[in-house]
Amino acid sequence: MRELQLSLLCFKNTKFTSKTIKRVFNWNIMEALVVLAIIAGIIGIIGSIAPGLPGPPISWVGILFAFLAKNDPSNEITATALLLWLIVTIVVTVLDYVVPAKLTTMTGGSKSASIGALIGMFAGIFFTPIGMLSGSLLGAFLAELLVENKSTSDSLKAAFGAFLGFIVGTGMKLICSGIMMYYIVVAL
């Protein structure tokens, strides 16, 4: 503990600049960007599955860091590729909100089925991934059955649509983030 206090006192009157940080961590900015790119790529893949984390946007930030870390002509990630991945990220993120709702309504489900699927997915997060999948299906089924007073067969049909929407949305995000992680690794 005494050593930590002494080391902190050494920095008491120090201005923190990039040179100071480089001296402390013995890293240059490019190495830090490489580490941040890999971390963002991994978090992006996790965010594609786990609710609450925007997977593809975080993965795109990883590609941006990889682009900045290796800004030379031999880099796999060009400015054009960066822009295209931004467009893909935006499209996948928007589709992730549109597809589940559309598939739910196509199979006769209501807004309650979509909300029930989301609540069930959050409830099942503790039993990942089986709990998330079955929670989504069960939540949509119970919402249609109890809130909308639909028959069992209609509730199952709506639950299947909500479940399918969840699977399609998660699959799109996972594929997008996975490919971006591939480019991060190849570029570095």
Side-chain angles (χ1 to χ4, degrees):
M1 186 67 171
R2 178 91 174 124
E3 292 172 3
L4 177 63
Q5 289 173 340
L6 287 175
S7 63
L8 290 176
L9 283 175
C10 293
F11 292 113
K12 187 175 182 183
N13 295 321
T14 304
K15 270 187 151 176
F16 281 99
T17 63
S18 62
K19 288 181 183 178
T20 309
I21 294 171
K22 182 178 176 184
R23 197 172 61 236
V24 171
F25 292 106
N26 201 17
W27 284 3
N28 64 24
I29 194 73
M30 297 306 165
E31 291 169 335
L33 284 172
V34 167
V35 170
L36 289 173
I38 292 170
I39 289 172
I42 292 170
I43 292 174
I45 289 174
I46 293 169
S48 296
I49 299 168
L53 281 174
I58 293 173
S59 292
W60 185 83
V61 169
I63 279 194
L64 177 65
F65 287 154
F67 172 76
L68 295 173
K70 296 278 265 189
N71 197 7
D72 60 12
S74 66
N75 192 356
E76 291 284 326
I77 303 170
T78 62
T80 305
L82 195 64
L83 182 62
L84 287 173
W85 276 112
L86 177 62
I87 293 168
V88 168
T89 299
I90 292 168
V91 168
V92 166
T93 303
V94 168
L95 283 177
D96 183 44
Y97 289 103
V98 173
V99 168
K102 192 69 172 165
L103 283 173
T104 303
T105 55
M106 283 174 56
T107 56
S110 65
K111 182 105 173 145
S112 298
S114 297
I115 293 170
L118 187 64
I119 292 171
M121 182 181 61
F122 277 119
I125 200 167
F126 301 107
F127 308 104
T128 304
I130 304 293
M132 288 173 60
L133 298 174
S134 59
S136 174
L137 187 63
L138 186 62
F141 173 73
L142 290 175
E144 286 293 303
L145 190 65
L146 301 174
V147 176
E148 297 295 323
N149 296 322
K150 291 189 176 181
S151 68
T152 305
S153 63
D154 288 341
S155 296
L156 276 173
K157 189 176 169 186
F160 179 71
F163 177 73
L164 189 62
F166 167 74
I167 294 297
V168 169
T170 301
M172 283 187 312
K173 292 187 300 184
L174 196 56
I175 289 169
C176 181
S177 292
I179 293 172
M180 283 193 270
M181 182 65 185
Y182 169 78
Y183 278 108
I184 290 169
V185 171
V186 169
L188 302 175

